[in-house]
Amino acid sequence: MGETITFWVLAVVSVSAALGLVFSRKAVYSALMLGAVMLSLAVLYAVQDAPFLAAVQIIVYTGAVMMLFLFVLMLVGVDSSDSLVETIKGQRFWAMIAGFGFAALVALAVGNIALSPSAGLTEATAQAGGNVPAIAELIFTRHVFAFEVASALLITAALAAMVLAHRERTRPKPTQKVLARARFLGDHPSPLPGPGTYARNNAVDMPALLPDGSVSELSVNRVIARHDVEEDRLPEDPKLAEAIRQAVEEESK
Amino acid sequence: MTTHYLVLSVLLFTIGAVGVLIRRNAIVAFMCVELMLNACNLALVTFARQHGNLDGQIIAFFVMVVAAAEVVVGLAIIVTIFRTRRSASIDDANLLKY
């Protein structure tokens, strides 16, 4: 009875989290949803006589893999959202159809087989004295070759990540002299205006006013400006609102 | 109960597959691949209990090892592509097409 309740609660949680993973707009939400799916699967493993796998699932997946995903998301940029342009016509529609078809086929196949009552793992683990000793015995006897190959694979993966992530410097490191020269040859020898300078309000989302009273678009923080436009929090002054909107447009170009 | 677990695993696998097909962000597509691997692990653990045999759990363990290695290399590739092309969209990496 307890297992049935656990299963139904976690099935609902994991399927809705998986749907959220696929359909949420922001990549960070997708990562959180994936974390929810992995945690509920860990509990399902624990319920199904696999305490070792439940622990490994939490340590490896929710601990290491999810952290890696989040770090890369931060490196690549959280706001790198999906483009909605379909390169193949009707791809989304046909992908959905294929998904429904696949699910229906496999679910029918699973529903058609008659299964004997589940054998349970008490007998298999009793001899070694518990789940972890039994798994250890199998890994280090019958599957020892696969285990060694797995260690070789992990070393290869670590090396590959180091090689791929390493960046060779193709040009010399710019010195202070080079940087200063570039700055004076460019459009803005002076530092860029800070937000809120000369404005009536010194909040970071307020564009700076130049000494002649006009609005400086350079001072608008692009990320905050985009949020302002998306959530419709533009200031009442039409000049300021126009500057924020233009900053967002320039960024999207 | 075995059938219930198998149907759940099929559902999760299908959602992951559809996600790989419809999402353009490389990282999200990669997360969907992870979801498919997790669904397979659930089926393996279920079969292990059904047959009263620990081999299923051991295969699931090896799948986790391979998945960890795959995530490391895959994310490193995504970061490298992002560095050179400034984009994490799958559609932008199409230089080999022409």
Side-chain angles (χ1 to χ4, degrees):
Chain A
M1 188 58 197
E3 191 192 337
T4 319
I5 296 173
T6 319
F7 172 80
W8 282 110
V9 171
L10 288 178
V12 172
V13 168
S14 59
V15 169
S16 40
L19 288 175
L21 156 65
V22 174
F23 292 113
S24 62
R25 273 263 154 269
K26 296 186 176 163
V28 179
Y29 292 170
S30 295
L32 286 180
M33 294 295 174
L34 184 61
V37 176
M38 285 168 172
L39 280 177
S40 40
L41 282 184
V43 179
L44 283 182
Y45 294 165
V47 170
Q48 294 204 76
D49 300 333
F52 176 68
L53 280 185
V56 171
Q57 169 92 2
I58 289 180
I59 294 168
V60 172
Y61 268 117
T62 45
V65 171
M66 286 314 300
M67 280 309 109
L68 213 55
F69 268 117
L70 286 176
F71 267 111
V72 171
L73 266 182
M74 296 301 156
L75 277 179
V76 168
V78 185
D79 46 288
S80 61
S81 46
D82 265 2
S83 66
L84 288 171
V85 186
E86 286 190 333
T87 38
I88 306 171
K89 212 176 149 200
Q91 188 203 359
R92 273 158 222 269
F93 174 73
W94 288 110
M96 292 296 216
I97 297 284
F100 279 123
F102 177 78
L105 272 180
V106 187
L108 275 180
V110 170
N112 264 334
I113 48 175
L115 290 164
S116 53
S118 160
L121 284 167
T122 30
E123 212 176 299
T125 52
Q127 204 185 359
N131 180 268
V132 180
I135 285 183
E137 200 179 298
L138 273 176
I139 283 182
F140 291 114
T141 55
R142 202 192 308 167
H143 299 283
V144 69
F145 184 69
F147 184 73
E148 295 299 335
V149 171
S151 68
L153 176 74
L154 285 178
I155 292 174
T156 318
L159 273 178
M162 279 160 65
V163 170
L164 282 172
H166 177 71
R167 179 156 44 167
E168 206 74 51
R169 197 178 270 286
T170 48
R171 57 187 74 177
K173 191 176 178 188
T175 58
Q176 199 121 41
K177 196 177 165 189
V178 176
L179 288 176
R181 176 179 287 272
R183 187 168 126 194
F184 280 103
L185 287 177
D187 295 337
H188 301 284
S190 63
L192 293 179
T197 318
Y198 297 123
R200 273 166 301 169
N201 184 329
N202 66 350
V204 282
D205 60 338
M206 283 295 138
L209 296 184
L210 296 176
D212 61 348
S214 59
V215 172
S216 164
E217 282 158 33
L218 286 169
S219 64
V220 184
N221 183 333
R222 313 281 165 187
V223 178
I224 297 178
R226 204 182 57 234
H227 283 297
D228 276 355
V229 170
E230 273 174 9
E231 289 161 26
D232 214 13
R233 282 184 312 200
L234 291 172
E236 282 168 15
D237 189 342
K239 264 198 302 185
L240 299 186
E242 185 53 34
I244 292 180
R245 237 182 257 122
Q246 280 195 358
V248 174
E249 268 171 32
E250 237 167 64
E251 188 205 28
S252 58
K253 262 180 224 162
Chain B
M1 270 322 266
T2 306
T3 322
H4 292 71
Y5 283 112
L6 291 180
V7 171
L8 174 63
S9 137
V10 169
L11 270 182
L12 290 180
F13 187 91
T14 314
I15 294 172
V18 170
V20 171
L21 289 178
I22 67 175
R23 289 305 295 256
R24 293 289 150 71
N25 189 329
I27 302 175
V28 178
F30 211 57
M31 285 183 205
C32 292
V33 174
E34 287 306 303
L35 181 64
M36 288 160 79
L37 282 170
N38 269 292
C40 294
N41 276 352
L42 180 63
L44 284 171
V45 171
T46 308
F47 281 129
R49 189 169 72 151
Q50 171 71 21
H51 292 287
N53 189 332
L54 272 177
D55 282 332
Q57 291 193 11
I58 284 167
I59 296 174
F61 176 64
F62 282 126
V63 169
M64 283 180 188
V65 174
V66 174
E70 174 229 330
V71 164
V72 169
V73 178
L75 287 180
I77 291 175
I78 290 176
V79 169
T80 317
I81 291 179
F82 181 77
R83 245 188 223 152
T84 51
R85 308 192 63 93
R86 289 280 134 203
S87 155
S89 173
I90 293 179
D91 287 338
D92 287 349
N94 58 1
L95 266 185
L96 282 179
K97 200 168 137 192
Y98 301 109

